[in-house]
PDB file of all heavy atoms in Angstrom:
ATOM      1  N   VAL A 475     -69.934  67.046 -23.257  1.00 87.00           N
ATOM      2  CA  VAL A 475     -69.020  67.844 -22.372  1.00 87.00           C
ATOM      3  C   VAL A 475     -67.863  66.993 -21.891  1.00 87.00           C
ATOM      4  O   VAL A 475     -67.023  67.520 -21.115  1.00 87.00           O
ATOM      5  CB  VAL A 475     -69.802  68.469 -21.231  1.00 87.00           C
ATOM      6  CG1 VAL A 475     -70.674  69.628 -21.557  1.00 87.00           C
ATOM      7  CG2 VAL A 475     -70.718  67.295 -20.510  1.00 87.00           C
ATOM      8  N   MET A 476     -67.892  65.860 -22.152  1.00 89.00           N
ATOM      9  CA  MET A 476     -66.861  64.831 -21.697  1.00 89.00           C
ATOM     10  C   MET A 476     -65.453  65.325 -22.091  1.00 89.00           C
ATOM     11  O   MET A 476     -64.521  65.341 -21.378  1.00 89.00           O
ATOM     12  CB  MET A 476     -67.028  63.547 -22.238  1.00 89.00           C
ATOM     13  CG  MET A 476     -67.275  62.459 -21.192  1.00 89.00           C
ATOM     14  SD  MET A 476     -67.679  60.949 -21.815  1.00 89.00           S
ATOM     15  CE  MET A 476     -67.317  59.887 -20.472  1.00 89.00           C
ATOM     16  N   GLN A 477     -65.295  65.719 -23.392  1.00 88.00           N
ATOM     17  CA  GLN A 477     -64.026  66.082 -23.886  1.00 88.00           C
ATOM     18  C   GLN A 477     -63.631  67.485 -23.189  1.00 88.00           C
ATOM     19  O   GLN A 477     -62.350  67.687 -22.926  1.00 88.00           O
ATOM     20  CB  GLN A 477     -63.951  66.163 -25.371  1.00 88.00           C
ATOM     21  CG  GLN A 477     -62.477  66.022 -25.907  1.00 88.00           C
ATOM     22  CD  GLN A 477     -62.446  66.122 -27.462  1.00 88.00           C
ATOM     23  OE1 GLN A 477     -63.378  66.442 -28.071  1.00 88.00           O
ATOM     24  NE2 GLN A 477     -61.253  65.919 -27.978  1.00 88.00           N
ATOM     25  N   LEU A 478     -64.623  68.247 -22.997  1.00 90.00           N
ATOM     26  CA  LEU A 478     -64.312  69.566 -22.439  1.00 90.00           C
ATOM     27  C   LEU A 478     -63.621  69.315 -20.924  1.00 90.00           C
ATOM     28  O   LEU A 478     -62.841  69.972 -20.548  1.00 90.00           O
ATOM     29  CB  LEU A 478     -65.575  70.427 -22.382  1.00 90.00           C
ATOM     30  CG  LEU A 478     -65.466  71.806 -22.031  1.00 90.00           C
ATOM     31  CD1 LEU A 478     -64.492  72.560 -23.006  1.00 90.00           C
ATOM     32  CD2 LEU A 478     -66.817  72.517 -21.931  1.00 90.00           C
ATOM     33  N   PHE A 479     -64.487  68.433 -20.226  1.00 92.00           N
ATOM     34  CA  PHE A 479     -64.062  68.078 -18.827  1.00 92.00           C
ATOM     35  C   PHE A 479     -62.605  67.557 -18.903  1.00 92.00           C
ATOM     36  O   PHE A 479     -61.814  67.905 -18.068  1.00 92.00           O
ATOM     37  CB  PHE A 479     -64.946  67.034 -18.388  1.00 92.00           C
ATOM     38  CG  PHE A 479     -64.577  66.566 -16.996  1.00 92.00           C
ATOM     39  CD1 PHE A 479     -64.533  67.295 -15.938  1.00 92.00           C
ATOM     40  CD2 PHE A 479     -64.341  65.223 -16.794  1.00 92.00           C
ATOM     41  CE1 PHE A 479     -64.079  66.847 -14.639  1.00 92.00           C
ATOM     42  CE2 PHE A 479     -64.019  64.631 -15.586  1.00 92.00           C
ATOM     43  CZ  PHE A 479     -63.808  65.569 -14.409  1.00 92.00           C
ATOM     44  N   ARG A 480     -62.255  66.673 -19.889  1.00 92.00           N
ATOM     45  CA  ARG A 480     -60.893  66.137 -20.035  1.00 92.00           C
ATOM     46  C   ARG A 480     -59.978  67.273 -20.212  1.00 92.00           C
ATOM     47  O   ARG A 480     -58.925  67.242 -19.594  1.00 92.00           O
ATOM     48  CB  ARG A 480     -60.837  65.197 -21.275  1.00 92.00           C
ATOM     49  CG  ARG A 480     -59.521  64.645 -21.594  1.00 92.00           C
ATOM     50  CD  ARG A 480     -59.477  64.080 -22.906  1.00 92.00           C
ATOM     51  NE  ARG A 480     -60.021  62.646 -22.876  1.00 92.00           N
ATOM     52  CZ  ARG A 480     -59.362  61.601 -22.326  1.00 92.00           C
ATOM     53  NH1 ARG A 480     -58.231  61.688 -21.807  1.00 92.00           N
ATOM     54  NH2 ARG A 480     -59.977  60.383 -22.432  1.00 92.00           N
ATOM     55  N   VAL A 481     -60.250  68.211 -21.043  1.00 91.00           N
ATOM     56  CA  VAL A 481     -59.298  69.322 -21.293  1.00 91.00           C
ATOM     57  C   VAL A 481     -59.118  70.087 -19.988  1.00 91.00           C
ATOM     58  O   VAL A 481     -58.003  70.636 -19.603  1.00 91.00           O
ATOM     59  CB  VAL A 481     -59.749  70.215 -22.431  1.00 91.00           C
ATOM     60  CG1 VAL A 481     -59.005  71.463 -22.532  1.00 91.00           C
ATOM     61  CG2 VAL A 481     -59.724  69.472 -23.811  1.00 91.00           C
ATOM     62  N   CYS A 482     -60.204  70.301 -19.252  1.00 92.00           N
ATOM     63  CA  CYS A 482     -60.080  71.089 -17.970  1.00 92.00           C
ATOM     64  C   CYS A 482     -59.118  70.409 -16.979  1.00 92.00           C
ATOM     65  O   CYS A 482     -58.308  71.023 -16.332  1.00 92.00           O
ATOM     66  CB  CYS A 482     -61.477  71.297 -17.322  1.00 92.00           C
ATOM     67  SG  CYS A 482     -62.375  72.416 -18.255  1.00 92.00           S
ATOM     68  N   VAL A 483     -59.181  69.028 -16.972  1.00 93.00           N
ATOM     69  CA  VAL A 483     -58.436  68.336 -16.223  1.00 93.00           C
ATOM     70  C   VAL A 483     -56.923  68.064 -16.573  1.00 93.00           C
ATOM     71  O   VAL A 483     -56.028  68.160 -15.868  1.00 93.00           O
ATOM     72  CB  VAL A 483     -59.126  66.893 -15.960  1.00 93.00           C
ATOM     73  CG1 VAL A 483     -58.131  65.959 -15.253  1.00 93.00           C
ATOM     74  CG2 VAL A 483     -60.252  66.945 -15.190  1.00 93.00           C
ATOM     75  N   SER A 484     -56.700  67.947 -17.831  1.00 92.00           N
ATOM     76  CA  SER A 484     -55.487  67.524 -18.454  1.00 92.00           C
ATOM     77  C   SER A 484     -54.842  68.511 -19.389  1.00 92.00           C
ATOM     78  O   SER A 484     -53.650  68.479 -19.639  1.00 92.00           O
ATOM     79  CB  SER A 484     -55.514  66.116 -18.947  1.00 92.00           C
ATOM     80  OG  SER A 484     -56.097  66.166 -20.298  1.00 92.00           O
ATOM     81  N   GLY A 485     -55.811  69.388 -19.888  1.00 91.00           N
ATOM     82  CA  GLY A 485     -55.288  70.206 -20.980  1.00 91.00           C
ATOM     83  C   GLY A 485     -55.222  69.655 -22.256  1.00 91.00           C
ATOM     84  O   GLY A 485     -55.229  70.417 -23.251  1.00 91.00           O
ATOM     85  N   ALA A 486     -55.256  68.381 -22.413  1.00 87.00           N
ATOM     86  CA  ALA A 486     -55.164  67.740 -23.752  1.00 87.00           C
ATOM     87  C   ALA A 486     -56.513  67.225 -24.123  1.00 87.00           C
ATOM     88  O   ALA A 486     -57.345  66.732 -23.309  1.00 87.00           O
ATOM     89  CB  ALA A 486     -54.126  66.527 -23.674  1.00 87.00           C
ATOM     90  N   GLY A 487     -56.695  67.158 -25.476  1.00 85.00           N
ATOM     91  CA  GLY A 487     -57.942  66.711 -26.112  1.00 85.00           C
ATOM     92  C   GLY A 487     -58.150  65.227 -26.056  1.00 85.00           C
ATOM     93  O   GLY A 487     -59.231  64.582 -26.296  1.00 85.00           O
ATOM     94  N   GLY A 488     -56.993  64.435 -25.982  1.00 83.00           N
ATOM     95  CA  GLY A 488     -56.947  63.058 -25.922  1.00 83.00           C
ATOM     96  C   GLY A 488     -56.161  62.493 -24.753  1.00 83.00           C
ATOM     97  O   GLY A 488     -55.511  63.177 -24.092  1.00 83.00           O
ATOM     98  N   GLY A 489     -56.259  61.153 -24.628  1.00 87.00           N
ATOM     99  CA  GLY A 489     -55.503  60.674 -23.548  1.00 87.00           C
ATOM    100  C   GLY A 489     -56.067  59.292 -23.152  1.00 87.00           C
ATOM    101  O   GLY A 489     -57.031  58.840 -23.762  1.00 87.00           O
ATOM    102  N   PRO A 490     -55.703  58.817 -22.000  1.00 90.00           N
ATOM    103  CA  PRO A 490     -56.157  57.578 -21.531  1.00 90.00           C
ATOM    104  C   PRO A 490     -57.573  57.566 -21.174  1.00 90.00           C
ATOM    105  O   PRO A 490     -58.210  58.598 -21.070  1.00 90.00           O
ATOM    106  CB  PRO A 490     -55.291  57.083 -20.362  1.00 90.00           C
ATOM    107  CG  PRO A 490     -54.726  58.414 -20.062  1.00 90.00           C
ATOM    108  CD  PRO A 490     -54.804  59.295 -21.184  1.00 90.00           C
ATOM    109  N   VAL A 491     -58.258  56.409 -20.836  1.00 88.00           N
ATOM    110  CA  VAL A 491     -59.614  56.309 -20.285  1.00 88.00           C
ATOM    111  C   VAL A 491     -59.855  57.455 -19.385  1.00 88.00           C
ATOM    112  O   VAL A 491     -59.194  57.552 -18.221  1.00 88.00           O
ATOM    113  CB  VAL A 491     -59.951  54.916 -19.837  1.00 88.00           C
ATOM    114  CG1 VAL A 491     -61.342  54.803 -19.558  1.00 88.00           C
ATOM    115  CG2 VAL A 491     -59.394  53.832 -20.736  1.00 88.00           C
ATOM    116  N   LEU A 492     -60.796  58.288 -19.493  1.00 90.00           N
ATOM    117  CA  LEU A 492     -60.924  59.492 -18.891  1.00 90.00           C
ATOM    118  C   LEU A 492     -61.080  59.268 -17.291  1.00 90.00           C
ATOM    119  O   LEU A 492     -60.390  59.903 -16.516  1.00 90.00           O
ATOM    120  CB  LEU A 492     -62.136  60.345 -19.260  1.00 90.00           C
ATOM    121  CG  LEU A 492     -62.541  61.659 -18.699  1.00 90.00           C
ATOM    122  CD1 LEU A 492     -61.296  62.615 -18.567  1.00 90.00           C
ATOM    123  CD2 LEU A 492     -63.569  62.396 -19.458  1.00 90.00           C
ATOM    124  N   PHE A 493     -62.031  58.568 -16.874  1.00 91.00           N
ATOM    125  CA  PHE A 493     -62.322  58.514 -15.328  1.00 91.00           C
ATOM    126  C   PHE A 493     -61.295  57.656 -14.651  1.00 91.00           C
ATOM    127  O   PHE A 493     -61.159  57.817 -13.499  1.00 91.00           O
ATOM    128  CB  PHE A 493     -63.720  58.036 -15.170  1.00 91.00           C
ATOM    129  CG  PHE A 493     -64.664  59.185 -15.504  1.00 91.00           C
ATOM    130  CD1 PHE A 493     -65.356  59.220 -16.802  1.00 91.00           C
ATOM    131  CD2 PHE A 493     -64.935  60.304 -14.781  1.00 91.00           C
ATOM    132  CE1 PHE A 493     -66.242  60.275 -17.126  1.00 91.00           C
ATOM    133  CE2 PHE A 493     -65.704  61.343 -15.067  1.00 91.00           C
ATOM    134  CZ  PHE A 493     -66.358  61.317 -16.237  1.00 91.00           C
ATOM    135  N   GLU A 494     -60.546  56.660 -15.406  1.00 91.00           N
ATOM    136  CA  GLU A 494     -59.437  56.071 -14.779  1.00 91.00           C
ATOM    137  C   GLU A 494     -58.365  57.129 -14.500  1.00 91.00           C
ATOM    138  O   GLU A 494     -57.689  57.023 -13.500  1.00 91.00           O
ATOM    139  CB  GLU A 494     -58.902  54.914 -15.666  1.00 91.00           C
ATOM    140  CG  GLU A 494     -59.967  53.913 -15.978  1.00 91.00           C
ATOM    141  CD  GLU A 494     -59.464  52.506 -15.712  1.00 91.00           C
ATOM    142  OE1 GLU A 494     -58.475  52.414 -14.820  1.00 91.00           O
ATOM    143  OE2 GLU A 494     -59.975  51.601 -16.187  1.00 91.00           O
ATOM    144  N   MET A 495     -58.226  57.955 -15.388  1.00 92.00           N
ATOM    145  CA  MET A 495     -57.111  58.989 -15.270  1.00 92.00           C
ATOM    146  C   MET A 495     -57.603  59.865 -14.121  1.00 92.00           C
ATOM    147  O   MET A 495     -56.704  60.244 -13.277  1.00 92.00           O
ATOM    148  CB  MET A 495     -57.233  59.837 -16.443  1.00 92.00           C
ATOM    149  CG  MET A 495     -56.230  61.038 -16.640  1.00 92.00           C
ATOM    150  SD  MET A 495     -56.155  61.701 -18.229  1.00 92.00           S
ATOM    151  CE  MET A 495     -57.250  63.152 -17.928  1.00 92.00           C
ATOM    152  N   VAL A 496     -58.864  60.327 -13.966  1.00 93.00           N
ATOM    153  CA  VAL A 496     -59.223  61.238 -12.942  1.00 93.00           C
ATOM    154  C   VAL A 496     -59.094  60.452 -11.495  1.00 93.00           C
ATOM    155  O   VAL A 496     -58.743  60.941 -10.648  1.00 93.00           O
ATOM    156  CB  VAL A 496     -60.918  61.427 -13.105  1.00 93.00           C
ATOM    157  CG1 VAL A 496     -61.460  62.082 -11.838  1.00 93.00           C
ATOM    158  CG2 VAL A 496     -61.125  62.289 -14.292  1.00 93.00           C
ATOM    159  N   GLU A 497     -59.408  59.115 -11.560  1.00 93.00           N
ATOM    160  CA  GLU A 497     -59.214  58.379 -10.323  1.00 93.00           C
ATOM    161  C   GLU A 497     -57.793  58.379  -9.870  1.00 93.00           C
ATOM    162  O   GLU A 497     -57.423  58.668  -8.696  1.00 93.00           O
ATOM    163  CB  GLU A 497     -59.623  56.886 -10.609  1.00 93.00           C
ATOM    164  CG  GLU A 497     -59.317  56.059  -9.224  1.00 93.00           C
ATOM    165  CD  GLU A 497     -59.634  54.625  -9.404  1.00 93.00           C
ATOM    166  OE1 GLU A 497     -60.505  54.283 -10.240  1.00 93.00           O
ATOM    167  OE2 GLU A 497     -59.010  53.732  -8.893  1.00 93.00           O
ATOM    168  N   LEU A 498     -56.839  58.114 -10.831  1.00 93.00           N
ATOM    169  CA  LEU A 498     -55.376  58.058 -10.444  1.00 93.00           C
ATOM    170  C   LEU A 498     -55.029  59.633 -10.003  1.00 93.00           C
ATOM    171  O   LEU A 498     -54.117  59.689  -9.162  1.00 93.00           O
ATOM    172  CB  LEU A 498     -54.659  57.652 -11.639  1.00 93.00           C
ATOM    173  CG  LEU A 498     -53.109  57.574 -11.537  1.00 93.00           C
ATOM    174  CD1 LEU A 498     -52.682  56.687 -10.347  1.00 93.00           C
ATOM    175  CD2 LEU A 498     -52.417  57.099 -12.964  1.00 93.00           C
ATOM    176  N   LEU A 499     -55.505  60.557 -10.725  1.00 93.00           N
ATOM    177  CA  LEU A 499     -54.995  61.909 -10.375  1.00 93.00           C
ATOM    178  C   LEU A 499     -55.308  62.355  -8.876  1.00 93.00           C
ATOM    179  O   LEU A 499     -54.651  63.043  -8.207  1.00 93.00           O
ATOM    180  CB  LEU A 499     -55.590  62.840 -11.294  1.00 93.00           C
ATOM    181  CG  LEU A 499     -54.704  63.611 -12.338  1.00 93.00           C
ATOM    182  CD1 LEU A 499     -53.362  63.067 -12.550  1.00 93.00           C
ATOM    183  CD2 LEU A 499     -55.524  63.672 -13.707  1.00 93.00           C
ATOM    184  N   GLY A 500     -56.510  61.765  -8.437  1.00 92.00           N
ATOM    185  CA  GLY A 500     -56.781  61.898  -6.980  1.00 92.00           C
ATOM    186  C   GLY A 500     -57.638  63.265  -6.748  1.00 92.00           C
ATOM    187  O   GLY A 500     -57.795  64.135  -7.586  1.00 92.00           O
ATOM    188  N   LYS A 501     -58.395  63.258  -5.660  1.00 92.00           N
ATOM    189  CA  LYS A 501     -59.394  64.165  -5.439  1.00 92.00           C
ATOM    190  C   LYS A 501     -58.858  65.613  -5.369  1.00 92.00           C
ATOM    191  O   LYS A 501     -59.466  66.594  -5.853  1.00 92.00           O
ATOM    192  CB  LYS A 501     -60.040  63.768  -4.037  1.00 92.00           C
ATOM    193  CG  LYS A 501     -61.330  64.482  -3.733  1.00 92.00           C
ATOM    194  CD  LYS A 501     -62.211  63.808  -2.660  1.00 92.00           C
ATOM    195  CE  LYS A 501     -63.439  64.438  -2.257  1.00 92.00           C
ATOM    196  NZ  LYS A 501     -64.083  63.757  -1.308  1.00 92.00           N
TER     197      LYS A 501
END
Side-chain angles (χ1 to χ4, degrees):
Chain A
V475 284
M476 241 170 162
Q477 199 178 11
L478 194 58
F479 175 62
R480 173 190 286 279
V481 170
C482 288
V483 166
S484 72
V491 190
L492 181 51
F493 289 97
E494 296 236 20
M495 181 175 102
V496 171
E497 177 186 329
L498 178 59
L499 250 10
K501 200 166 178 175

